Amino acid sequence: MFRFIVRRLLQLIPTLFGLSILLFTWLHRLPGGPETALLGERGTPEMRAQIRENLGLDEPLLIQYGRFVKRLVQFDLGTSINTKRAVTTEFLERFPGTVELTIMAMLIAIGVGIPLGYLAARRRGSIIDQASVGGSLLGTCVPIFFLAYVLKAIFAENLGLFPSIGRQDPSINATHITNFFVLDGILTREWDAAADAIWHLVLPGFALASIPLAIIVRITRASVLEVLGEDFVRTAEAKGLTERTVRRRHVLRNAMLPVATSIGLLTGLLLSGAVLTETVFAFSGIGAFIRDAISNLDYPVLMGFIMIIAVIFALVNLLVDVSYSLIDPRVRVR
């Protein structure tokens, strides 16, 4: 297993190297060059020349790229044009909120999607099957921002059951250690703060889980139906094994490989920022910050966040590969 993980980690190096080249090329292909991106259109020629000299933009491209990679390795992603703060600081402040929202959404999607998909496959053609297929189709068709507004209007504004904006009630004097509000509440034993943070995650979590839930239901159903038709399942049933044993050891385990793939990809996508959901619920995450960076042409933020998100996506794919090897040990050999 250790050699398998090391091999996968080494395979990430060419991917990240290629991405760094793309980002470096993109920066130098910006209209007017990097100095115009930093100064804006109102920058004078003298100011642009000073920026080029300070940043070493008048040196050969190979030397500039080496300096660029060195900064990336040192986690020095530059300074935001708008906030005048380090990009790394901005990311570390906002990413915990996106992680908490992603975890909530994926817990809902996995906790409901896998059992529902399995039940639909076992009772193919029944009302449950038709309802799950129709519901999954509806979940992929309804825009997330529309569902978010509906949930907010009904359960927050009309019924008042859930908070409508933010990550935590400002009236709660909570201690923030890691910026993971739920975790901070648990670590400091401020149970009301942890419960309030979870309560703020419910509505955006359900809105964000709609598409992953629909996808997981459909993939689980299709995968289970395929496995149920295999010879080894019929052999296990003919040997007199109990339904629980057949379901757990033969059907579910073999059907989980494509489901694990979809879960990994969906998790990586959600970790890259849920712009619409975070905007509707005024949720402080990287999605809303990336939206503002695009609007304000904050190129250092865009470059830094793209690189970090790519690393996170690669690590999520690594976890998917590890889950493959746990579900099916033959993957390690291949």
Side-chain angles (χ1 to χ4, degrees), residues 114-130:
I114 293 180
L116 187 57
Y118 176 81
L119 187 61
R122 293 290 293 182
R123 300 185 180 182
R124 184 178 184 181
S126 65
I127 296 178
I128 295 178
D129 183 26
Q130 295 175 4

Side-chain angles (χ1 to χ4, degrees), residues 151-172:
L151 293 176
K152 182 178 179 179
I154 296 176
F155 295 100
E157 296 176 357
N158 292 340
L159 299 179
L161 298 177
F162 298 96
S164 60
I165 60 172
R167 294 181 59 193
Q168 199 169 54
D169 192 333
S171 63
I172 296 179

Side-chain angles (χ1 to χ4, degrees), residues 294-308:
I294 294 174
S295 301
N296 299 318
L297 300 179
D298 198 340
Y299 292 109
V301 169
L302 293 176
M303 289 185 58
F305 277 34
I306 289 172
M307 197 66 198
I308 297 174

